[in-house]
Amino acid sequence: MDQRFSKFETLCAQDPKVSKTTEAHKSPIYANSTFKFNTVEEGVDIFLNQPGQHVYTRYGNPGIEAVAHKIAQLETCGSELNAFGQLTSSGMAALHLSIMALVKSGDRIITQGNLYGGTTELLYKIFQAQGVDIITGDVGDELFFEKQISQKWPGNTIVLLETPANPTLQCLDISDICTKSKANNAQVIVDNTFATPLLQQPLLLGADLVIHSTTKYLHGHGLSTGGVIIGIDHSLIRSKIWECMKLVGSNSNPFDAWLINIGLKTLVLRMQKQCSTAHELAYLIIQHPKIKTVFYPGLESHPSHSIAKKQMNAFGAMISFEVGETLEDAMQFCNKLKLCSIAPSLGETDTMVLHPATMSHLKVAPEIRAHYGITDNLIRMSIGLERTEDIFEDICSALK
Ligand SMILES: *Cc1c(COP(=O)(O)O)cnc(C)c1O
């Protein structure tokens, strides 16, 4: 290479010196995988895991940690509790890590049959195969739950809850289940994805761990996949779960953490608007002659109305309802919608519709579906930020 270029290769290879300027008003993305030490001694100190120091992004990253801490503060806001969080690569990773940290072969998990489909698969395909006993039933039925939780068991017991639950929005009494679990030395994990910490704070009701798919409401825009685990037990979050995460590699990444933070800024505005639109829509569609049952915890007719009223600040932005009589009626309804998208997720800024019988619950046995009220003509809607009248008009014209 020409002598003139003698510095070129090294210049290309090295990071430019950033002149320290005024602090950025918005959080930057720490996209780096690695952090550098000024001396070997400093490296030793940092490797011995000094808080606030960094080594490698799989171990921790300033942007990721800041967002985990922000969600931990939201989950305990208004209380004296001091919570800690870990951001993960997805909601499934958050569930996997939190369960992995708490159970071993010979332990048991008591849970409900109407969990997010992926969670049920995770329990049976991964944890049951590792020797963990999975007990599934109607955790909301006191007789069932008390019988299970008080049964003598040689190993540890974990109770895994999801409330409101997919797709009929059954709510479980978190405080009551936590009290009974504690009395029997069991720990409780709550999947708070459908509610968000604005509507429901399970740690304040006695839960040991809260998890979220941040993919849904916390990010809220459908542009990021992520999860989070929150708890008040410092060593559980910062040692046990952190270590599992670091070794398995199910950590979040700087870009998704940055996106989640942007979404969180409008969480309150989005949730307030989406919940009030859902509430209005529930009252409107219940009057439509072609709609049979409407499931919305804000309706007095919903079986979980009193539990929802007790533990939630609003009733959420998910609605489900039965259209016509048959599978074909439901499919035709979805296909005729113009404004609402058919999409198998929730918690975004636009209204999304899902047909559980042919999508999320396709692989669930018909008798189990029937048990949880997942009929062939059931439709689930995640209400977005559109005008109530526009969503209602779309529903009415699809019913014609
Ligand atoms: C989506 C979802 C999950 C899984 O989250 P991912 O981010 O897709 O991995 C878990 N629980 C609930 C309630 C969900 O809605």
Side-chain angles (χ1 to χ4, degrees):
M1 216 182 271
D2 189 326
Q3 189 53 31
R4 205 158 58 82
F5 283 94
S6 67
K7 291 204 164 67
F8 198 96
E9 288 163 288
T10 303
L11 265 174
C12 282
Q14 294 272 303
D15 234 45
K17 273 272 166 286
V18 177
S19 60
K20 275 255 182 207
T21 66
T22 326
E23 192 182 346
H25 174 48
K26 293 290 182 291
S27 308
I29 303 180
Y30 293 85
N32 50 300
S33 56
T34 315
F35 298 82
K36 71 174 181 181
F37 315 137
N38 291 315
T39 61
V40 175
E41 290 77 6
E42 188 188 76
V44 171
D45 273 358
I46 293 172
F47 254 101
L48 290 176
N49 202 16
Q50 283 202 348
Q53 304 283 19
H54 298 97
V55 174
Y56 190 63
T57 283
R58 177 160 49 76
Y59 291 46
N61 172 291
I64 296 175
E65 286 166 13
V67 178
H69 181 59
K70 180 164 166 174
I71 302 172
Q73 287 178 299
L74 297 176
E75 280 292 350
T76 48
C77 187
S79 78
E80 298 288 307
L81 297 176
N82 190 18
F84 310 92
Q86 290 293 353
L87 224 53
T88 58
S89 56
S90 65
M92 291 312 298
L95 280 158
H96 180 236
L97 277 175
S98 50
I99 298 169
M100 191 162 69
L102 297 180
V103 305
K104 58 184 183 317
S105 171
D107 292 344
R108 61 174 182 162
I109 299 173
I110 302 176
T111 194
Q112 66 211 69
N114 50 352
L115 287 169
Y116 176 72
T119 312
T120 301
E121 276 192 69
L122 172 73
L123 294 177
Y124 283 95
K125 291 188 181 159
I126 307 290
F127 287 104
Q128 184 172 262
Q130 290 172 8
V132 176
D133 231 67
I134 312 294
I135 299 155
T136 298
D138 189 357
V139 173
D141 172 357
E142 288 184 23
L143 280 178
F144 169 82
F145 186 68
E146 280 170 26
K147 181 168 166 238
Q148 293 299 333
I149 195 80
S150 60
Q151 211 162 70
K152 284 268 167 287
W153 187 264
N156 292 330
T157 301
I158 299 300
V159 177
L160 174 62
L161 305 181
E162 190 182 311
T163 177
N166 211 2
T168 57
L169 308 165
Q170 182 196 16
C171 300
L172 298 166
D173 189 328
I174 300 173
S175 169
D176 183 54
I177 291 171
C178 288
T179 306
K180 288 172 181 155
S181 300
K182 283 226 162 63
N184 290 280
N185 293 318
Q187 284 171 295
V188 181
I189 305 175
V190 178
D191 182 335
N192 204 25
T193 300
F194 272 40
T196 83
L198 181 68
L199 306 193
Q200 173 174 288
Q201 294 170 300
L203 295 176
L204 274 57
L205 302 173
D208 295 279
L209 290 175
V210 166
I211 76 99
H212 283 274
S213 165
T214 61
T215 312
K216 315 294 167 55
Y217 290 106
L218 296 189
H219 167 64
H221 295 71
L223 301 167
S224 157
T225 298
V228 69
I229 308 170
I230 313 289
I232 54 174
D233 180 341
H234 182 271
S235 86
L236 178 61
I237 300 284
R238 285 285 159 79
S239 301
K240 218 164 174 185
I241 289 174
W242 171 76
E243 189 153 77
C244 288
M245 185 184 76
K246 171 193 93 172
L247 295 175
V248 173
S250 42
N251 52 284
S252 182
N253 65 81
F255 187 61
D256 278 301
W258 184 79
L259 286 170
I260 294 164
N261 182 44
I262 294 176
L264 284 173
K265 294 176 192 215
T266 55
L267 177 67
V268 176
L269 292 173
R270 284 186 284 110
M271 281 315 276
Q272 283 176 343
K273 166 95 165 66
Q274 290 174 204
C275 291
S276 75
T277 305
H279 213 142
E280 286 166 14
L281 274 172
Y283 280 111
L284 286 171
I285 59 180
I286 205 166
Q287 297 168 41
H288 197 288
K290 284 196 181 157
I291 289 184
K292 263 169 63 190
T293 319
V294 177
F295 297 95
Y296 183 68
L299 294 175
E300 274 165 29
S301 57
H302 192 278
S304 304
H305 179 66
S306 60
I307 295 175
K309 211 167 149 179
K310 187 175 88 165
Q311 68 188 15
M312 297 173 77
N313 299 318
F315 299 103
M318 302 294 299
I319 300 185
S320 56
F321 51 87
E322 293 174 318
V323 295
E325 304 288 336
T326 62
L327 186 86
E328 285 67 36
D329 290 340
M331 289 171 72
Q332 224 177 64
F333 170 77
C334 292
N335 288 337
K336 280 163 115 181
L337 288 165
K338 292 204 164 62
L339 187 73
C340 310
S341 321
I342 305 173
S345 189
L346 60 113
E348 301 187 14
T349 54
D350 58 324
T351 299
M352 298 156 89
V353 59
L354 176 133
H355 180 217
T358 58
M359 298 174 201
S360 56
H361 293 71
L362 181 65
K363 290 182 189 157
V364 175
E367 62 275 13
I368 296 181
R369 259 191 251 159
H371 180 78
Y372 287 101
I374 307 161
T375 48
D376 282 352
N377 57 340
L378 186 75
I379 299 291
R380 184 192 84 181
M381 266 197 179
S382 165
I383 305 303
L385 294 170
E386 302 92 342
R387 280 177 77 220
T388 309
E389 295 80 355
D390 293 344
I391 304 170
F392 186 55
E393 199 181 289
D394 197 32
I395 293 172
C396 290
S397 60
L399 285 169
K400 273 194 192 119

